[in-house]
């Protein structure tokens, strides 16, 4: 048989899609052919389930063993692994939870999974230099208006419609999670100077400022926008304080002045 | 020839361990008595973060070789150039003396099994693998080692033994061999062959690295789990392996149920002792084997 045909049969067996493969396997020794094939089928499933468990530990606590297993088995069937790294196997898990019964009836589950994926992305995002307060001080005041920003590659904005982060925090501390409630909330997640992942809650205006920094707006434009929602004399204090705070946290990669 | 001379001509790195995240900090702080480390390439093919941070610090102090699990050299899928480019970038960064992957296939039609699947031992597979290995070696520009895997089934299509298959591929492709003594033991029990036939069936100048590991013995068969200490039978085979192949860089793989670093170092000392016993009388004896040498 051609190598490619044999591999097709093997893979079909691995994904439980055919029974023919056993005809190509040698029957020998203490194990029969089905048991031998079974070792590979079990290993395939076990590895994928373990990767979901590792990446979504807190979701696992939330669901409990029984529902987690139902989710994992269903996801594996729906989503064969198309990435060579297991690290990305569960990329579509938040979407799966969003559209699949019974999980879709509890939208906080999909959000919790999405939050955990953000934490993973932040963990191995690219490294980069970080701008410091000292660097900001070197920029002459008349250049501030045209100043633009680049954020650290690990910095991520996350918006939740439920209290999924509060649930995550409670479960992480071995506490029962609060009841899911509908509440719009924004978070900043990043990797700090010590390579540890951190997140903080964002006020609406902070989120707006960060979004404008991400899209390459100038400091003047950002301040103008802030002035539409707060008193004009508060804008400069607010914006400079936040900027200093983010420089301190290490989320600003560079300050760009032309 | 003295042991010293043998070691020098042999690309002999000494006794190493698979580098695991649990031990990152301790390796940097205590600089333990480990001669070298093997990293799993895929774990460091990420943009940045902690793994890369530690890798850069550890590679300042220890020689590092790279070991991959997803080259899928035996697959009938086209070679994954995206993967190869990322691998080459990491190799250029780490600058290992060699890199390795497995005598197996892992993916088919872009779906990944995340497992090291066995091949039929046929002329077609020899030709297919040898061509692909030559392409990969040329592209990467470093010696490539292929490791024998543990397997749980064999194919009616096979026309030869695993060692004949591996040895022929090695001759035709110019690659070297990463000899996993545990995998030979596991497969010998699962397929009922004599592991010494395997050891004696491999050309003496072809082995550049040895893996040792533990497994789970179910009586009727063995599963290669890397979550136990190395067992006595594997230690015996390791001694026989050294007698045939000469001083070869040796390491212990532990992937699950990972103990304290000290425990692994004690296990590594056991390998060092066996090595010393095998080669202590070497200057008075005529070594039966010629050590492997890298092609410059
Ligand atoms: Fe191995």
């Amino acid at each position: 048989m051609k190598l490619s045909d044999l591999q097709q049969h093997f893979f079909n067996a691995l994904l439980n899609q055919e029974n023919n493969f056993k005809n190509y396997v040698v029957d020998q020794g203490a194990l029969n052919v089905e048991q031998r094939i079974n070792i590979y089928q079990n290993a395939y499933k076990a590895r994928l389930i373990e990767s979901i468990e590792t990446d979504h530990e807190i979701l696992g606590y939330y669901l409990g063993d029984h529902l987690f297993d139902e989710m994992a088995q269903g996801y594996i069937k729906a989503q064969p692994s198309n990435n060579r790294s297991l690290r990305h196997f569960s990329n579509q898990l938040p979407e799966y939870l969003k559209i699949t019964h019974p999980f879709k009836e509890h939208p906080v589950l999909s959000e919790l999974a999405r939050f955990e994926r953000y934490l993973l992305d932040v963990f191995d995002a690219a490294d980069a230099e970080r701008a410091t307060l000292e660097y900001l001080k070197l920029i002459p005041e008349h250049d501030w208006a045209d100043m633009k920003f680049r954020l650290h590659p690990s910095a991520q904005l996350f918006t939740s419609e439920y209290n999924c982060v509060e649930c995550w925090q409670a479960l992480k501390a071995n506490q029962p999670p609060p009841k899911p409630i509908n509440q719009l909330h924004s978070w900043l997640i990043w990797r700090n100077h010590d390579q540890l992942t951190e997140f903080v809650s964002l006020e609406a205006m902070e989120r707006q400022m960060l979004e404008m920094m991400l899209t390459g707006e100038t400091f003047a434009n950002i301040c103008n926008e802030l002035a539409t929602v707060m008193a004009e004399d508060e804008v400069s204090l607010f914006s400079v304080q936040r900027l200093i705070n983010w420089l301190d946290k290490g989320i600003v990669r560079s300050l760009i002045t032309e | 020839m003295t042991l010293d001379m043998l070691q020098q001509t042999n690309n002999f790195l000494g006794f190493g361990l698979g580098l695991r995240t649990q031990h990152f900090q301790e390796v940097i702080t205590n600089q333990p008595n480990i001669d070298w480390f093997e990293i799993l390439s895929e774990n460091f093919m990420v943009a940045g973060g902690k793994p890369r941070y530690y890798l850069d610090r550890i590679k300042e102090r220890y020689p590092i070789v790279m070991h991959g699990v997803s080259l899928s050299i035996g697959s009938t899928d086209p070679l994954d150039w995206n993967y190869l480019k990322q691998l080459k970038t990491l190799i250029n960064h780490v600058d290992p003396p060699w890199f390795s992957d497995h005598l197996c296939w892992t993916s088919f039609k872009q779906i990944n099994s995340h497992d090291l699947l066995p091949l039929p031992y046929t002329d077609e597979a020899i030709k297919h693998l040898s061509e692909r290995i030559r392409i990969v070696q040329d592209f990467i520009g470093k010696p490539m080692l292929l490791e024998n895997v543990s397997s749980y089934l064999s194919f009616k299509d096979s026309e030869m033994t695993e060692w004949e298959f591996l040895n022929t591929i090695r001759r035709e492709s110019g690659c070297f061999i990463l000899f996993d003594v545990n995998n030979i033991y596991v497969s010998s029990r699962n397929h009922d062959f004599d592991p010494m036939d395997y050891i004696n069936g491999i050309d003496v100048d072809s082995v550049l690295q040895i893996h040792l590991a533990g497994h789970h013995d179910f009586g009727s068969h063995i599963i290669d789990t890397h979550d136990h200490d190395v067992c006595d039978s594997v230690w015996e085979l390791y001694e026989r392996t050294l007698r045939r192949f000469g001083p070869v860089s040796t390491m212990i793989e532990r992937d699950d149920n990972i103990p304290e670093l000290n425990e692994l170092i004690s296990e590594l000392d056991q390998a060092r002792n066996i090595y010393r016993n095998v080669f202590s009388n070497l200057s008075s004896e005529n070594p039966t084997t010629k050590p492997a040498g890298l092609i410059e």
Side-chain angles (χ1 to χ4, degrees), chain A residues 17-180:
Chain A
Q17 289 166 350
E18 74 160 45
N19 268 326
N20 278 344
F21 179 56
K22 61 176 184 290
N23 300 328
Y24 313 114
V25 176
V26 177
D27 191 4
Q28 52 159 181
L31 292 184
N32 64 37
V33 169
E34 281 81 3
Q35 286 170 318
R36 290 176 183 274
I37 297 171
N38 241 317
I39 292 175
Y40 286 98
Q41 289 170 326
N42 292 340
Y44 173 74
K45 269 198 178 166
R47 226 171 246 120
L48 296 180
I49 290 175
E50 192 192 337
S51 107
I52 305 175
E53 279 169 356
T54 309
D55 287 359
H56 294 281
E57 188 190 8
I58 304 296
L59 177 68
Y61 294 152
Y62 198 111
L63 288 170
D65 289 349
H66 179 72
L67 273 175
F68 182 85
D69 197 56
E70 183 181 335
M71 175 197 73
Q73 302 281 356
Y75 183 67
I76 286 170
K77 242 191 179 155
Q79 187 72 48
S81 177
N82 53 15
N83 196 296
R84 63 158 195 280
S85 167
L86 278 172
R87 154 79 177 76
H88 297 285
F89 173 60
S90 303
N91 279 355
Q92 282 81 33
L93 187 62
E95 191 55 32
Y96 176 81
L97 291 167
K98 205 175 186 173
I99 59 173
T100 311
H101 172 79
F103 312 106
K104 65 178 180 184
E105 282 84 61
H106 308 277
V108 71
L109 295 173
S110 170
E111 277 199 351
L112 189 55
R114 198 152 56 87
F115 179 65
E116 288 187 303
R117 299 235 55 86
Y118 269 104
L119 296 178
L120 291 164
D121 291 343
V122 168
F123 176 81
D124 56 17
D127 294 310
E129 299 277 307
R130 300 171 205 253
T132 61
L133 181 58
E134 284 61 42
Y135 190 74
L136 179 67
K137 284 179 182 162
L138 291 175
I139 298 175
E141 238 168 271
H142 56 82
D143 283 343
W144 278 44
D146 290 331
M147 177 166 60
K148 291 179 182 174
F149 309 88
R150 270 181 90 188
L151 297 189
H152 190 266
S154 72
Q156 298 278 356
L157 297 175
F158 169 66
T159 299
S160 58
E161 291 175 20
Y162 288 82
N163 52 341
C164 70
V165 177
E166 288 81 354
C167 290
W168 185 94
Q169 285 170 309
L171 289 160
K172 184 84 181 164
N174 281 320
Q175 302 293 318
K179 279 218 151 50

Side-chain angles (χ1 to χ4, degrees), chain B residues 110-122:
Chain B
Q110 275 81 51
I111 308 268
N112 244 282
S113 69
H114 305 286
D115 200 355
L116 309 171
L117 304 175
L119 288 156
Y121 309 134
T122 62

Side-chain angles (χ1 to χ4, degrees), chain B residues 67 102 147 180 183 211 226 253:
Chain B
H67 187 49
H102 300 83
E147 175 182 354
D180 190 314
N183 289 352
H211 271 173
H226 294 187
E253 295 181 289

